[in-house]
Amino acid sequence: GELDKVLPVLEAVQKNFNQNNKQAQISLADVIVLGGAVGVEMAAQKAGHQLSVPFTPGRADASQAQTDVTSFAFLELKADGFRNYYDKASLFGPAEMLVDKASMLNLTVPEMTALLGGMRVIGANHGQSRLGVLTDNVGALSNDFFVNLLDMSVKWSASDKDEMVFEAKDRQSGAVKWRATSVDLIFGSNSELRAVAEVYGANDGKEKLVFDFVK
């Protein structure tokens, strides 16, 4: 998977840094977080915004011997709306699981909205799924998710092939333009979430989305 490609690269970065900096050593956990921060900076740059993502080191690594595999197995996610991942073994529906996850992260409604919209357009979905990736410029930290979700030139309806998927069809041609999940669509159907989505989807919402996402 993706981790098999990325982790060896990050481990090499860690090894190189620690070999050349005897006074300061960095954990792999910190390298992973730092790599994510750089990724966000690159996504913002691709959308035309120059910024620096704050980074604070101090995480420690745990060895395999220090990790109780059995107990950690119980912590495996059954749903993560931010990455559009959902397992039917979940106790609640996709939207409910998103709200539960956001509550665990202590996010406000605008924070949850900005985080999800940004994650979609930079292509951070589980398994590289295109569901909810409402942009033609994947990898750029833009407000395209909100612009295209609220676009009145398309009509959303349930897919005939998958009950978990919804399709946006052009009102004139009938062609399918986007596919998404119920998690994505609640940002257009729920009145409170739609109000926030309209702020981010406005012409002057591009920069706000970027800086709110980084924060």
Side-chain angles (χ1 to χ4, degrees), residues 2-138:
E2 290 300 305
L3 283 177
D4 294 330
K5 302 175 186 176
V6 175
L7 284 179
V9 176
L10 297 181
E11 287 170 345
V13 171
Q14 177 199 21
K15 182 178 180 181
N16 180 66
F17 179 88
N18 288 341
Q19 286 179 340
N20 292 285
N21 295 271
K22 299 303 181 183
Q23 301 302 317
Q25 300 287 285
I26 190 169
S27 66
L28 180 59
D30 270 344
V31 174
I32 291 171
V33 173
L34 184 57
V38 172
V40 172
E41 290 177 351
M42 293 173 65
Q45 185 176 25
K46 189 175 180 180
H49 302 280
Q50 295 289 339
L51 52 81
S52 178
V53 177
F55 171 74
T56 303
R59 297 160 191 81
D61 293 328
S63 68
Q64 188 66 53
Q66 294 172 313
T67 305
D68 187 331
V69 177
T70 303
S71 65
F72 271 87
F74 288 102
L75 299 177
E76 183 178 349
L77 289 174
K78 296 299 181 184
D80 185 351
F82 294 106
R83 301 193 66 207
N84 233 346
Y85 166 68
Y86 182 74
D87 188 319
K88 292 183 179 180
S90 297
L91 294 176
F92 304 103
E96 289 82 358
M97 293 300 288
L98 169 67
V99 173
D100 182 63
K101 177 76 171 180
S103 178
M104 290 182 185
L105 294 172
N106 201 30
L107 299 176
T108 64
V109 169
E111 287 172 340
M112 177 183 74
T113 306
L115 182 59
L116 185 139
M119 293 281 280
R120 289 291 186 275
V121 294
I122 64 176
N125 273 354
H126 172 76
Q128 298 181 309
S129 165
R130 287 302 303 263
L131 293 176
V133 184
L134 312 182
T135 182
D136 291 322
N137 192 18
V138 181

Side-chain angles (χ1 to χ4, degrees), residues 131-154:
L131 293 176
V133 184
L134 312 182
T135 182
D136 291 322
N137 192 18
V138 181
L141 185 51
S142 69
N143 66 339
D144 284 2
F145 172 82
F146 303 104
V147 172
N148 292 311
L149 178 69
L150 304 175
D151 183 5
M152 295 304 296
S153 71
V154 299

